[in-house]
Amino acid sequence: MEKKELSYMHQPHSREFGHQTIFQLLDKRAAERPKDEAVILYDEQSKRHCLTFGKLHFLSQTLAAAMATKDLGYGDKVAIFMPTCLEFIVCFMALNRLGTNVIVIPFSESVGVLSDVLSDSKCSGLFCHLDQDQRKKKDLIDALHKKKISAGAQFVLKYLVTVGNLIQCDVSGNSYQYEVLLASEKTTGLKLLQQIETKVQLDNPAMNLLTSGSSGKPKLCQFTNQSLVVAIETTSDRLNINSKSRLFRTWPFSWAPGIGALLTIAVNGATCVFLSPVLLLKENRIEFFFKVLSEEKCNFASVPPALIYDTINNPSVLSSFDLSCLQSFESGGQLLLHTQIAKFIDLFPNVDFILVYGATETFGLVSSATYKKENISNTEQYGVMEVGPHFEVKVVDPRGNIVPVNNFGEIYIRSPTIFLEYLGNPQATLDSKTRTGWWRSQDIGTMDNKGKIKILGRMGNAINRATELLYPAEFEVKISKNHLVAKVAVVAVPDQRLYEEVCACVVLKDQGDHDSQRAELEEWYEEVWPESADGASLRPGYTIFFKEFPLTRTMKPDRRKLRKMALENLGLQEVK
């Protein structure tokens, strides 16, 4: 490859764009392999459930046909508010057949947030499953009766579909029970459905996902049928996922990796194994995670960063399980420290570890790097990732000009998988996307002369210390190597003289004597960041110890909360 001078990379793809919708691809898989398992799900009680390709095809078609007879669905915006369950999958596929614009709302959110989304997006319908959460069920009934949940948030639904016990309330008289719709006579409905399915186009809006909120209030990213299919095709090619793959995912369906795995069932014909996210909060989570991996003979597994940490600190659990089918682990979404990944790879010397970078807005996998026992020792190349197919990436300065290679800048991304718009928020869309289709990621990174990128952190997390702009990742990588440190996150705190100072938030391996460990850490800082000739040093000005870090909805360290807690701990106030 010719060496680059400017930080721009386009990775073309030999595969043509997909020309079928999600439900059409599901129908194709069902015709080819009707009796094969499409999805396996372990619920909150660890009970196993499954759907074959044929069963998923039948249920989604039956539900869509029943809705078609009631003139529900086509062109509507419809929200799904459900936990991780098989009914979610059936409802999503049925709504895709009907040409609806599905809005997936995380079940972890309150009914107040649900109400705001319904109002802001002008939803026509709501599918919900609340039998296992009576508090949310009561709140939703109250909200539907009152037509509002908070000041200014109002919505009027055309119809409501509930799994389990029917919710009786005034939604223009159209309240339906999921199980009753599935039992409906469908001859007439199928004829109507066939007519509707012919109207569904690749460029139709098909799905909306809430962003994590790491850069502000969460926004709804809207995707077309084609952008979803292309994203799954390109990501699958990058990760070597095909119809013989058995994928293991623990992410909720409201997150891009979770709903992405569902789409992989249709697009690639892979079998997907899901755990209810609740299971990852239980004490035996590590044992259960690997037990399922072993029994389901999974060959590809997404592993949450927290489970990586748990596993390297409890390696003995692995001896009980046969993981010989496992070929690849995948993880990302936040900074993964080299020291931890190296230890994790030591436990699985014959398994690839794939570090990935993407965002809700891109849906597809932007870049990745594969590590093995043989190459993980190269610390200089750790985190340097190759841009994926169908993606253009450039690194730009504050004026939007491409910077020379190996220079810091903001990562801009362009691809057919990029979101169409922030639903109901045109200003945010204009602020985030350029006129030529580039998405401003707000991530800081570099590109080398081979077109590979390295992400250093979020623009909003950069630290303005005196005349220098510092990035938390630069400190976190070094501090993580200290033998006392289990986890670290670096934030900026105000300083009267320097404007901002570096504050290291640390979770210790041993929660014992903080004073002696603080003294040892600060002495070590002086070795790692020695004073320069002018007496200045980049070592952290403050160190605060935590038992655990607060987390965002997507399980990343919540840096805004960490910073607020640091200010309170240090007795500091914002510099005016």
Side-chain angles (χ1 to χ4, degrees), residues 391-440:
F391 277 94
E392 288 178 275
V393 174
K394 62 181 180 180
V395 184
V396 304
D397 64 19
R399 293 182 178 180
N401 298 319
I402 301 176
V403 301
V405 295
N406 299 316
N407 279 256
F408 296 132
E410 183 181 1
I411 302 289
Y412 275 34
I413 301 166
R414 185 163 63 181
S415 167
T417 76
I418 292 285
F419 74 113
L420 185 64
E421 64 175 343
Y422 291 123
L423 185 64
N425 197 337
Q427 186 58 53
T429 305
L430 286 172
D431 293 342
S432 182
K433 293 178 74 174
T434 71
R435 289 181 298 173
T436 50
W438 288 95
W439 173 58
R440 305 177 178 99

Side-chain angles (χ1 to χ4, degrees), residues 191-210:
K191 291 179 181 179
L192 291 171
L193 179 60
Q194 288 172 359
Q195 296 173 14
I196 293 172
E197 288 180 345
T198 61
K199 299 179 185 179
V200 181
Q201 301 295 308
L202 284 170
D203 282 340
N204 288 161
M207 185 184 75
N208 301 265
L209 294 179
L210 273 176

